[in-house]
Amino acid sequence: MVQKEFESVAKAYIQKLKESLDISSDPSEKVELEEKIQKFEADLAAEDDFLYTHAHDIRKCFVAYKGRSGMEKIDNSYLPKMIRSLDDVWDRIHPKYTSPIASYIFHKSAHSRSYENLCSNGNKLEKFDLTKWSKTADEDQRPFYDSMVEAVKQIDRAIGIFKESVVEENEKNLEKEEDSVFRAPSVDYIRTPKDGDTYDVLFARSKFPDFGEGILQVDDDRVKKQFLLVFQLRLLAAYLLHKVGMTHVNTERDNMAFDIFEALNTTGTPLTAFETFKPHVYEKITDLGAKRSFKYMEDITKFLENYSTDDLLLDFAFADSGCELPKRLNRQRLYLNEYDNLDNDDKEKFVESLFHTKEFLKAFWSNKFNIEKCMYDTLQPKDLNALKACFTYFWMLNHTRAHGPLIRFYSSWYVQQETQKPEPGSFFKATQDFVEATKACAAFTTLWRLGCGGSTSGVDDEYAKIMRGTKDGDRVICRPFSRRVYKGTGLNILPPVSELKKYLKDALESKIPGGKEAWVKKVANQNFSKSTFKLVRFFLLAAFQDAVMDQVEKDILIRGKAGTAETITQELLNEMTLEHIAPSTRDNGWKDKKYDDIYNSTEDLLNHLGNYTLLPQLENSTASNRDWEVKKTLYEMIASDNPINNQVENWKSASGVELNASDIEKLSRFQRQLSWLGPLAKTEEPWGSDTIRRRSVRIAELGYDTLIEWLS
């Protein structure tokens, strides 16, 4: 259409030149006009041929002609190159194009070839009627056709901005700033490329024609504008045909195509498995009217703007079916594609399960120090403190393996929360079950790993057995906690939290037979390296829970009444650091011979539980390698009932460190919580190997008692 308009105005301009030639009486002027007319007509013919060829080449990108030689060319012989399997059929006699993309290409190309439309209305091509075309769709296809109409309108809008930017010479303001990407290059830039650019690089050998300079000098604005528009479109066509590459890949299997697509994607940001999964869900949402699934998918999409897709899908698959999904696009995509084989109800449950995984991660994992308040209103302070401490602990260990069972209990709670009229007590029970499951996983992981010297060996396997279920012959040892059957069909009923605790406790007993006595003996004689300090820190807080000074052996702790000392808290876990009482570097007074039994011991007593305590970072740095008597004094001041601000001078005298206002505030805040330091201050003998051994046994006993209760 643009080509015909330009041809019309160009011929009108040539006619004006010919009229000037007829009335001219100057011989030299007549010669000049004749040469100008002759060159203009030749250039116009070349331009017309160029545009026709490129228009034909662009059409071939979308349509393939499959007619037989010698036969009349009919519309059915032009086959759209983009079709959907099952929806569309290539055939010259009875073609079937029901998908929006194939139908649009077929009818649009037929329309553009129509000579009647081309010649009607003053050589102007009648516009393709999108509304009329969309009404040809079947009822179930109508929403997709409407989406296609909107997409085409957006393309038409972009072309309109392109054309306006040419004829208005960029003077017209755009409605939106982002529309600037659709503007045509400026005329000055086209005539003289800058910064080393060449027409060969930019426009595929389409240089600015000589006669164009002449046209830009004419008095007829209509001719100039039409020429500029044609030439800009000529450049665009040349760029699309010669500077844009398309790769056609045939593969034996669908998953191979996605693997290749990931490698060939030149954007640098390959599509994730979730992004390739979304179209499957949205297609079914239209069929089923599943509005909740749409909301779930939109929420997940937003969440993944700031969270790893791999991490979400790995946790989801483990909770959903016990599947240990790798961080490979192909495997993740195949797992999500299981959605297509589910019935309609299970499809929505599948998406719901993915959404619950997202909600769990959002609440308890995506921000370690800002755990969302989801269920806290229904919790007792002790349970709330334990829950927050456990997830902070999991985060420190990067212990994602526990997410499997916890997501399942969280999902059960979430369903109860959304129920408008839940059964009496069901919401409270779901909340308590989640808390109990969290504490059980924290206790099991700690007791297992400390009993194995800090190693993670075997822990992951036990969680896999929990999710998939395990049997001994026909005897069920553990029912599966996953939502779906592992490598099978059907759904699982979530077992009660008591079964989770029983399995974890039995697994621990199987790993370290002999119960408490055997476990305490093993751990009390264990050396703990720096890699286990996070485990030891949590275990010491568990040991100090409700612990008070033993009135018989005043240098060690004993279990007190419930509620005496709340130490398993997020704040203490974050703020406390591990302190070697006898420093790992032998310095100052520790060089005295009376400490030889510690430093020369073959047991490496420096790294036994009995040589550890917990201090805030400031006090840990202050105590450092100082003499035992100095450390005792510092421990006593912290553990005393006398407020810290009354002991500033004594602190400075003992340690040589002057406390500032911030130090006093922090010490005062923790003073009542650090009651475990009291027995250390009551140690009458020099710090020695016997004290470390006794203390190691007592700490192991206290910590075991606290955590095994979480598994009972």
Side-chain angles (χ1 to χ4, degrees):
M1 182 173 68
V2 173
Q3 177 187 2
K4 291 296 180 183
E5 288 179 355
F6 171 62
E7 185 178 322
S8 174
V9 296
K11 286 181 178 179
Y13 176 66
I14 292 174
Q15 184 60 36
K16 284 185 178 181
L17 293 178
K18 288 180 177 179
E19 291 173 359
S20 298
L21 176 64
D22 291 339
I23 63 176
S24 176
S25 58
D26 186 344
S28 60
E29 183 183 15
K30 290 176 74 71
V31 171
E32 183 180 346
L33 284 171
E34 287 176 347
E35 292 177 351
K36 194 171 185 179
I37 292 170
Q38 186 177 6
K39 187 174 188 327
F40 203 117
E41 288 178 331
D43 287 342
L44 183 61
E47 188 72 14
D48 186 66
D49 181 65
F50 180 92
L51 289 170
Y52 176 81
T53 301
H54 277 61
H56 181 68
D57 289 344
I58 289 177
R59 185 179 293 117
K60 287 196 298 183
C61 291
F62 298 94
V63 178
Y65 177 69
K66 296 297 180 180
R68 293 177 182 176
S69 177
M71 292 182 62
E72 180 184 358
K73 292 186 177 182
I74 59 176
D75 285 341
N76 290 351
S77 297
Y78 292 89
L79 311 181
K81 287 189 174 182
M82 284 182 270
I83 65 172
R84 290 180 63 91
S85 61
L86 304 181
D87 290 343
D88 305 314
V89 178
W90 277 337
D91 192 279
R92 287 192 297 270
I93 308 301
H94 301 292
K96 176 190 174 185
Y97 303 118
T98 57
S99 73
I101 185 65
S103 175
Y104 177 77
I105 293 174
F106 177 76
H107 288 95
K108 177 69 173 178
S109 64
H111 172 264
S112 67
R113 290 189 302 271
S114 172
Y115 178 79
E116 292 181 359
N117 283 339
L118 185 65
C119 294
S120 66
N121 196 21
N123 287 337
K124 289 186 177 181
L125 184 66
E126 289 183 355
K127 192 172 183 180
F128 184 70
D129 192 335
L130 281 170
T131 303
K132 184 178 179 181
W133 165 76
S134 68
K135 289 180 179 178
T136 64
D138 294 337
E139 193 63 33
D140 60 334
Q141 288 284 331
R142 183 64 61 81
F144 302 109
Y145 274 63
D146 291 342
S147 297
M148 187 74 186
V149 169
E150 291 303 313
V152 173
K153 286 181 178 179
Q154 290 298 319
I155 295 172
D156 287 343
R157 180 173 174 274
I159 293 174
I161 294 171
F162 180 92
K163 292 168 65 176
E164 287 177 3
S165 68
V166 173
V167 299
E168 298 293 339
E169 297 194 7
N170 297 332
E171 292 178 1
K172 186 174 182 179
N173 293 326
L174 299 176
E175 294 180 11
K176 300 179 181 178
E177 185 177 346
E178 56 264 31
D179 289 344
S180 60
V181 298
F182 302 126
R183 286 182 179 273
S186 68
V187 176
D188 289 340
Y189 181 76
I190 293 173
R191 295 165 71 181
T192 55
K194 304 294 191 300
D195 300 327
D197 292 335
T198 64
Y199 283 102
D200 180 57
V201 173
L202 291 173
F203 309 123
R205 302 183 181 85
S206 298
K207 71 175 185 176
F208 198 76
D210 294 336
F211 83 102
E213 294 291 351
I215 291 178
L216 294 178
Q217 303 302 319
V218 302
D219 295 332
D220 194 329
D221 289 339
R222 193 160 159 264
V223 174
K224 287 193 289 186
K225 288 182 177 181
Q226 285 296 330
F227 166 73
L228 290 174
L229 183 56
V230 167
F231 188 70
Q232 291 273 25
L233 291 175
R234 168 182 174 164
L235 297 182
L236 179 61
Y239 181 81
L240 290 174
L241 288 170
H242 301 291
K243 293 298 181 182
V244 176
M246 298 184 71
T247 304
H248 187 187
V249 180
N250 287 316
T251 60
E252 294 180 1
R253 293 193 300 273
D254 189 38
N255 61 307
M256 291 182 177
F258 274 89
D259 288 343
I260 295 173
F261 174 74
E262 179 185 13
L264 293 179
N265 189 0
T266 57
T267 64
T269 54
L271 293 176
T272 65
F274 177 75
E275 288 168 328
T276 60
F277 171 62
K278 286 169 67 176
H280 294 251
V281 179
Y282 287 149
E283 181 178 358
K284 293 304 177 184
I285 287 173
T286 303
D287 292 345
L288 305 174
K291 295 181 180 179
R292 290 176 62 193
S293 289
F294 179 81
K295 177 185 179 299
Y296 291 156
M297 293 298 288
E298 292 299 298
D299 284 351
I300 296 168
T301 300
K302 187 174 181 180
F303 176 70
L304 290 177
E305 292 175 1
N306 299 298
Y307 195 80
S308 164
T309 300
D310 283 344
D311 292 344
L312 170 67
L313 295 183
L314 265 60
D315 280 343
F316 164 66
F318 194 52
D320 186 59
S321 66
C323 175
E324 298 176 83
L325 204 60
K327 290 187 176 182
R328 286 181 51 198
L329 172 68
N330 180 24
R331 290 287 302 279
Q332 293 175 5
R333 194 183 61 77
L334 285 175
Y335 186 85
L336 292 177
N337 281 354
E338 292 178 14
Y339 170 90
D340 293 333
N341 300 322
L342 302 174
D343 61 35
N344 292 340
D345 288 340
D346 286 344
K347 278 183 169 65
E348 187 154 356
K349 290 293 183 182
F350 188 88
V351 176
E352 181 184 57
S353 178
L354 182 58
F355 171 74
H356 288 170
T357 302
K358 184 273 294 186
E359 286 293 293
F360 169 86
L361 294 172
K362 179 183 175 183
F364 298 102
W365 200 251
S366 59
N367 192 329
K368 64 170 182 173
F369 295 134
N370 187 28
I371 298 176
E372 196 173 78
K373 270 190 167 183
C374 56
M375 59 179 65
Y376 293 168
D377 292 342
T378 62
L379 293 175
Q380 296 295 324
K382 185 177 179 179
D383 287 337
L384 173 59
N385 287 334
L387 189 67
K388 294 168 72 175
C390 286
F391 275 103
T392 302
Y393 175 53
F394 291 153
W395 196 95
M396 289 176 172
L397 297 178
N398 193 29
H399 186 40
T400 58
R401 202 61 167 176
H403 288 181
L406 297 185
I407 288 171
R408 291 287 286 126
F409 282 101
Y410 180 82
S411 179
S412 176
W413 171 86
Y414 202 95
V415 170
Q416 290 295 330
Q417 180 207 221
E418 289 192 320
T419 303
Q420 292 183 353
K421 294 182 179 180
E423 296 180 11
S426 59
F427 179 71
F428 176 78
K429 182 181 182 303
T431 304
Q432 288 302 121
D433 285 350
F434 178 73
V435 174
E436 293 299 311
T438 302
K439 291 164 66 177
C441 290
F444 169 74
T445 298
T446 305
L447 295 174
W448 178 288
R449 289 189 59 182
L450 288 179
C452 297
S455 170
T456 60
S457 176
V459 172
D460 288 357
D461 291 339
E462 295 303 324
Y463 279 105
K465 291 175 184 177
I466 290 169
M467 299 312 297
R468 300 168 188 170
T470 182
K471 292 183 177 181
D472 181 7
D474 293 332
R475 184 173 68 90
V476 176
I477 298 175
C478 177
R479 290 191 291 170
F481 279 77
S482 61
R483 189 183 70 88
R484 296 191 294 151
V485 175
Y486 178 66
K487 291 186 176 180
T489 58
L491 302 178
N492 296 318
I493 297 174
L494 180 65
V497 70
S498 58
E499 286 193 29
L500 174 68
K501 291 181 179 183
K502 182 180 185 305
Y503 177 80
L504 293 175
K505 190 175 181 180
D506 290 347
L508 182 65
E509 173 66 23
S510 178
K511 183 69 174 178
I512 309 172
K516 175 181 176 180
E517 184 178 351
W519 190 92
V520 168
K521 183 178 180 180
K522 187 172 185 179
V523 172
N525 292 288
Q526 193 77 254
N527 302 321
F528 294 101
S529 63
K530 189 174 182 179
S531 62
T532 65
F533 281 2
K534 293 171 184 175
L535 279 168
V536 173
R537 198 160 82 212
F538 182 81
F539 184 75
L540 288 178
L541 288 175
F544 299 155
Q545 179 91 342
D546 294 331
V548 296
M549 184 187 301
D550 189 332
Q551 295 303 311
V552 178
E553 298 178 90
K554 294 190 176 183
D555 58 346
I556 58 176
L557 294 163
I558 192 172
R559 178 70 64 217
K561 293 181 180 179
T564 302
E566 188 70 30
T567 57
I568 305 178
T569 67
Q570 184 185 40
E571 182 181 38
L572 287 177
L573 190 60
N574 286 331
E575 295 290 345
M576 294 300 110
T577 58
L578 211 57
E579 147 86 344
H580 283 81
I581 298 171
S584 54
T585 301
R586 194 172 186 180
D587 203 356
N588 301 325
W590 294 100
K591 293 180 178 180
D592 194 295
K593 289 184 179 181
K594 60 186 175 185
Y595 300 115
D596 284 351
D597 63 333
I598 298 176
Y599 288 96
N600 297 336
S601 171
T602 58
E603 302 173 62
D604 189 18
L605 292 172
L606 291 173
N607 292 307
H608 279 211
L609 284 177
N611 194 48
Y612 289 129
T613 191
L614 294 174
L615 286 175
Q617 181 61 54
L618 167 69
E619 289 67 40
N620 199 340
S621 301
T622 302
S624 187
N625 296 344
R626 296 181 188 280
D627 296 347
W628 168 236
E629 295 301 325
V630 174
K631 286 195 172 192
K632 276 182 61 177
T633 302
L634 297 179
Y635 297 156
E636 185 175 14
M637 283 191 283
I638 297 172
S640 73
D641 294 332
N642 189 13
I644 289 294
N645 57 359
N646 294 339
Q647 304 185 69
V648 174
E649 291 302 321
N650 293 339
W651 185 280
K652 183 178 180 181
S653 175
S655 66
V657 176
E658 186 170 354
L659 298 174
N660 59 36
S662 176
D663 298 333
I664 295 172
E665 186 277 328
K666 181 174 286 189
L667 273 174
S668 299
R669 179 157 50 94
F670 289 125
Q671 190 173 13
R672 292 188 178 183
Q673 295 175 286
L674 307 186
S675 57
W676 60 78
L677 295 175
L680 290 174
K682 298 296 182 181
T683 305
E684 296 179 357
E685 300 175 359
W687 191 253
S689 57
D690 289 342
T691 306
I692 292 175
R693 291 189 187 96
R694 282 190 306 111
R695 195 167 177 269
S696 293
V697 171
R698 182 56 58 87
I699 289 174
E701 290 174 338
L702 292 172
Y704 181 90
D705 288 343
T706 297
L707 296 180
I708 205 67
E709 186 179 331
W710 288 5
L711 290 172
S712 299

